[in-house]
Amino acid sequence: MRPDIDLRAALNTRGALITYTISLLALVGAGVLGGVLQALVVEPAIVDVEMTFIVITLPLSLIIPVVTVLMIAGEWSDRSIQTTFLQRPGRLGVLGSKILANIVVVGALLALSVGLAALGTWIGGMVGDGASFESFRDVLTTQMAVMGATWLMSLAMAVLAQSAVVGMLLAIGLPFVISTFATIAMATGSDILEKVARAVHLQDAAYRLIDGTAGAFELLPLTLMVLIPLALGARRWSRREIG
């Protein structure tokens, strides 16, 4: 495996420059805005780092799927994957290499987001009545678990779809649909609908895992939304004809 090759391929293009520039601006803007808005709107005007990070997760929840799908499935869409397979025999090795490269990029984005949350909170604290970093542990546990769930689903959909367009539709659209369905299920009070929602709600399972209320049932979202799509996608990846 050569994740360094995939990392360079994902970063050294004009499209990547545009994508990461826009992403960086969105994260910086969300961090500063999240801190300042708390200082101006919330009473008392003490800026909380977890709330700032939650604001940052709004663009981050879109950036992670876009980056992941493009890194994993982009070459299938433009058909350059054929050249990659000719130069690097072993299709599953190429897949593993892309995943490792994607972990590096997404990890860097998450680390940057945490830093921007701290910076935005500090800036907001100067505008308001001070900054609170007591919930920083929740940022590194609860919020990171949710972002990790977002990444896992994005990865699974990218490997399964092997298409940039379809992969993004699934990676971005499915969490929205599932969250909406879960809200409807709670509003109706239907026990059956709530169990169906829990069976596919990966982010909710991540929350439950961190707060210690997860049980065997929380393995269902991981199995249905990540493991099965990954297995099917890896099988297709190793056998799919190019053309």
Side-chain angles (χ1 to χ4, degrees), residues 35 38-40 42-47 121 123-132:
Q38 287 185 74
L40 297 177
V42 178
E43 291 292 343
I46 298 177
V47 183
T121 301
I123 293 173
M126 291 193 299
V127 175
D129 299 329
S132 172

